[in-house]
């Protein structure tokens, strides 16, 4: 098994022009031990996210019955706010607040999180659950991610798939602490990045009328991908596969990364749909952090690199005006496929290199941020660079 260094380089808040995210949490049914685990988990997210507006969470610890979900998150939402990057698109309210720079949902929380008290949870923060216990920090970290905007407004009803027709009845009988938004048949920002294996956007109503049986077929196709350019780069230039099983599962399908594609050992399994007893994930992982950037979050992650321990790869100069140089170090005898990807996810250049040093002409590229994805016969890596 190859050893990889996964580096999430966190910029100190004293050096950043952004405000490190803070959380305001209200609870029902918890105790001091659970509250401490909640605070520990929000502190993890606070390391990574920037927002001038506190993220408001209501946690309800209640019996959701045996065999029920581990937890359920119900996010609040905003659309068409003045700084919205896309119109007619729903954003999780805490994301909208972060983008806007001010609180849009005054007097309302950003998410209700129901935690099933029937579950045998481990509330310690050391990532060491006992036999048969579920690690609360891992589950709660996952649920907060949904409230941050990793959510789809999709459903299938009467054989038709749709975006933006979910309403409060979908979570009945759970009470919601804020007025459930009328979604008006509009997608979430997460939904706008979903494509099928043919490259078709599922939110393209010219191809997939909303609602339609055609959409329902897509939702059950096991052939859907999240195509945000940052997430794709973090997955070695491959669009991350989404969970879209042949039996549609409301609340799970299109809301997660595919379980079998992202195993626990890979470091990107926090946002897969299933958790096992004893499973521990106390870090978001590179793909999730990159997906959050794709949907609009600014983060304290100033670089995400995954480089094999014995791969002395160098890319320079960065920023560059006309060329980038790649030095492959001791791996120079391998053949490497190199792809340059822009922030729309489009491969703008692709070629094979074998030399110890390779020079790439980027003089014709538009100024901006690009991703250099390098795949070898035994090693792979990706790096970001700026063309000026």
């Amino acid at each position: 098994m190859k050893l990889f260094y996964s580096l999430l380089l966190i910029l100190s808040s004293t050096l950043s022009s952004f405000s490190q995210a803070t959380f305001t949490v209200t609870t029902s049914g918890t105790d001091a031990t659970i509250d401490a685990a909640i605070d520990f988990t929000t502190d993890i997210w606070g390391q990574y996210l920037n927002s001038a507006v506190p993220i408001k969470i209501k946690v309800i610890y209640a019996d959701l019955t045996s065999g029920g979900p581990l937890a359920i998150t119900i996010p609040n939402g905003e659309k068409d706010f003045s700084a919205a990057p896309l119109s007619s698109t729903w954003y999780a309210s805490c994301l909208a607040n972060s983008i806007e720079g001010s609180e849009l949902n005054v007097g309302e929380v950003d998410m209700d999180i129901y935690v099933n008290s029937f579950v045998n949870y481990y509330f310690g923060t050391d990532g060491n659950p006992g036999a048969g216990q579920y690690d609360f920090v891992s589950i709660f970290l996952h649920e907060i991610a949904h409230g941050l905007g990793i959510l789809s407004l999709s459903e299938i009803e009467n054989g038709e798939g749709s975006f933006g027709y979910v309403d409060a009845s979908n979570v009945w009988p759970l009470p919601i602490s804020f007025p459930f938004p009328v979604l008006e048949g509009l997608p979430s920002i997460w939904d706008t990045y979903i494509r099928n294996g043919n490259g078709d956007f599922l939110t393209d109503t010219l191809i997939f009328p909303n609602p339609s049986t055609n959409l329902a077929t897509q939702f059950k196709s096991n052939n859907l991908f999240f195509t945000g350019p940052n997430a794709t780069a973090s997955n070695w230039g491959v669009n991350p596969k989404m969970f879209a099983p042949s039996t549609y599962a409301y609340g799970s399908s299109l809301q997660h990364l595919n379980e079998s594609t992202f195993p626990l050992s890979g470091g990107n399994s926090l946002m897969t749909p299933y958790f096992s007893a004893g499973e521990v994930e106390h870090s978001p992982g590179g793909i999730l952090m990159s997906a959050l950037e794709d949907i609009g979050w600014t983060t304290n992650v100033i670089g995400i690199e995954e480089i094999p321990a014995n791969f002395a790869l160098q890319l320079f100069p960065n920023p560059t005006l006309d060329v980038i140089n790649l030095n492959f170090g001791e791996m120079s005898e391998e053949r490497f496929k190199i792809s340059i990807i822009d922030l729309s996810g489009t491969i703008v250049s692709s070629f094979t290199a074998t030399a110890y040093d390779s020079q790439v002409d980027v003089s014709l590229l538009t100024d901006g941020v690009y991703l250099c994805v390098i795949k070898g016969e035994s090693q792979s890596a990706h790096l970001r660079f700026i063309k000026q």
Side-chain angles (χ1 to χ4, degrees):
M1 180 179 295
K2 289 180 287 187
L3 174 65
F4 285 86
Y5 292 131
S6 295
L7 308 176
L8 279 82
L9 309 178
I10 312 279
L11 184 65
S12 168
S13 60
T14 61
L15 299 176
S16 174
S17 60
F18 298 103
S19 300
Q20 192 171 37
T22 59
F23 291 78
T24 301
V25 181
T26 57
T27 61
S28 173
T30 64
D31 58 25
T33 301
I34 301 173
D35 290 344
I38 290 171
D39 290 342
F40 181 85
T41 310
T42 56
D43 285 346
I44 292 174
W45 273 120
Q47 295 179 70
Y48 294 103
L49 300 174
N50 288 306
S51 181
V53 182
I55 299 168
K56 300 160 290 180
I57 304 176
K58 181 175 181 179
V59 181
I60 305 95
Y61 185 63
D63 189 349
L64 303 181
T65 74
S66 173
L70 297 173
I72 297 174
T73 298
I74 308 168
N76 204 344
E78 298 286 339
K79 70 174 181 67
D80 294 331
F81 48 98
S82 62
L86 292 181
S87 62
S88 302
T89 304
W90 286 98
Y91 292 77
S93 60
C94 56
L95 172 55
N97 290 341
S98 177
I99 295 171
E100 187 78 3
S102 61
E103 188 174 18
L104 299 167
N105 58 328
V106 176
E108 300 173 2
V109 300
D110 295 308
M111 64 191 86
D112 288 340
I113 300 180
Y114 280 85
V115 179
N116 191 352
S117 63
F118 193 92
V119 174
N120 182 16
Y121 272 118
Y122 174 69
F123 293 104
T125 59
D126 59 358
N128 191 30
Q133 288 188 308
Y134 289 83
D135 186 64
F136 174 82
V137 171
S138 300
I139 305 299
F140 199 62
L141 199 71
H142 172 111
E143 293 301 320
I144 291 175
H146 286 306
L148 297 174
I150 308 299
L151 75 150
S152 174
L153 300 179
S154 59
E155 66 171 339
I156 293 179
E157 187 172 353
N158 299 322
E160 291 189 321
S162 66
F163 290 111
Y165 290 102
V166 177
D167 58 31
S169 67
N170 291 86
V171 295
W172 186 89
L174 298 179
I176 305 170
S177 67
F178 50 85
F180 197 94
V182 179
L183 300 178
E184 302 175 6
L186 300 176
S188 69
I189 183 62
W190 171 266
D191 290 327
T192 66
Y193 283 106
I194 301 175
R195 295 191 195 187
N196 63 18
N198 295 326
D200 301 319
F201 285 103
L202 264 60
T203 53
D204 185 343
T205 56
L206 295 178
I207 303 174
F208 307 110
N210 183 34
S212 66
T213 56
N214 198 358
L215 266 182
T217 299
Q218 294 295 318
F219 291 173
K220 299 183 291 183
S221 67
N222 194 31
N223 191 36
L224 299 181
F225 303 86
F226 183 81
T227 61
N230 292 303
T232 296
S234 289
N235 194 39
W236 311 109
V238 177
N239 295 325
K241 188 173 184 180
M242 301 182 66
F243 183 67
S246 57
T247 300
Y248 180 81
Y250 177 77
S252 292
S253 294
L254 281 70
Q255 313 264 9
H256 299 91
L257 298 177
N258 192 50
E259 185 77 28
S260 60
T261 309
F262 300 99
L264 178 60
S265 60
N268 283 298
S269 65
L270 180 69
M271 286 315 295
T272 58
Y274 301 118
F275 267 87
S276 302
E279 182 175 341
V280 175
E281 287 279 7
H282 286 192
S283 172
I287 292 176
L288 173 55
M289 286 307 305
S290 296
L292 289 169
E293 292 178 344
D294 286 325
I295 65 174
W297 281 100
T298 57
T299 75
N300 288 321
V301 178
I302 58 172
I304 301 174
E305 300 179 350
E306 294 186 21
I307 304 175
N310 64 338
F311 194 175
L313 175 68
Q314 293 179 313
L315 181 154
F316 59 94
N318 188 12
T320 183
L321 294 174
D322 50 6
V323 298
I324 56 172
N325 297 287
L326 297 172
N327 185 315
F328 298 107
E330 296 178 0
M331 308 302 295
S332 60
E333 298 304 316
E334 285 198 17
R335 292 172 60 85
F336 292 91
K337 180 179 179 181
I338 300 172
S339 299
I340 306 298
I341 302 175
D342 67 19
L343 289 186
S344 72
T346 301
I347 298 175
V348 296
S349 179
S350 182
F351 59 94
T352 299
T354 55
Y356 184 87
D357 291 290
S358 290
Q359 190 173 82
V360 182
D361 184 356
V362 296
S363 60
L364 298 181
L365 297 182
T366 303
D367 292 354
V369 178
Y370 291 85
L371 307 151
C372 183
V373 178
I374 301 154
K375 292 186 177 182
E377 295 162 9
S378 66
Q379 307 288 6
S380 299
H382 79 265
L383 296 169
R384 303 183 188 188
F385 69 92
I386 298 172
K387 164 66 169 59
Q388 292 182 333

